[in-house]
Amino acid sequence: MDGIGVMPDMGGMHSTFFFGKHIKVLFDSWNVTQTWQLVLSVLFWMIFAFCYQGLKFFRQYINSVCVCSSYRNINNQGASKIPLRPHLYQTGLQAVQTTMSYLQMLVVMTFNVWLCLGVLVGDVIGYLVFQRYSFDNSDHCN
């Protein structure tokens, strides 16, 4: 490492984007030192970002089923209330989705161009595959 773009008081972390293969990905034990390790890490984060988009799609689907179902309760102000079990399920999936998004953010913050591209490409392909079908309830659930 030549030290350019590396903050000395940050434990050798990069503060600018770099193309290197010597990085730690999220944990000290995930230490990338060889090209094949970098390729596997990039592939992992591509698949991870793809799955993140799939989870978002799945949550939209579950929400559309709850909104359109006949067992949804209406209160006296006209607002609807999701039953407890589907709401708890959605809350758990929200926690998983939030965790996944923060992990992707931390990977991008490694400033490694290859890992950033892996996250970006996986996210774009996932969006292309999953978000083609929308579950907008405003037209067909009334």
Side-chain angles (χ1 to χ4, degrees):
M1 235 187 267
D2 58 3
I4 297 174
V6 177
M7 300 290 289
D9 58 341
M10 292 179 62
M13 288 178 40
H14 284 265
S15 60
T16 58
F17 285 99
F18 70 103
F19 286 92
K21 64 179 179 183
H22 297 280
I23 51 172
K24 288 187 181 183
V25 185
L26 297 185
F27 306 102
D28 285 335
S29 59
W30 194 341
N31 194 15
V32 175
T33 58
Q34 297 177 1
T35 305
W36 68 269
Q37 292 172 327
L38 180 62
V39 169
L40 285 179
S41 296
V42 169
L43 287 174
F44 173 83
W45 289 108
M46 285 175 88
I47 294 168
F48 189 89
F50 180 84
C51 292
Y52 173 78
Q53 286 295 329
L55 178 62
K56 283 176 52 176
F57 173 80
F58 183 60
R59 288 191 62 228
Q60 288 173 352
Y61 171 75
I62 290 173
N63 194 44
S64 73
V65 169
C66 288
V67 168
C68 294
S69 68
S70 59
Y71 65 85
R72 196 165 167 127
N73 303 321
I74 306 288
N75 66 17
N76 56 2
Q77 286 89 19
S80 56
K81 180 179 173 186
I82 299 173
L84 183 60
R85 181 177 285 166
H87 183 64
L88 288 175
Y89 192 60
Q90 278 282 22
T91 301
L93 289 175
Q94 173 64 30
V96 172
Q97 183 179 336
T98 302
T99 302
M100 289 177 77
S101 65
Y102 279 127
L103 288 173
Q104 289 179 77
M105 177 195 66
L106 289 172
V107 168
V108 170
M109 288 177 60
T110 64
F111 291 104
N112 182 279
V113 172
W114 305 118
L115 290 176
C116 291
L117 285 174
V119 170
L120 179 66
V121 168
D123 196 54
V124 168
I125 293 172
Y127 184 85
L128 180 69
V129 169
F130 293 112
Q131 298 301 326
R132 183 174 180 199
Y133 306 100
S134 176
F135 292 104
D136 184 11
N137 301 316
S138 60
D139 294 335
H140 60 278
C141 288
N142 294 328

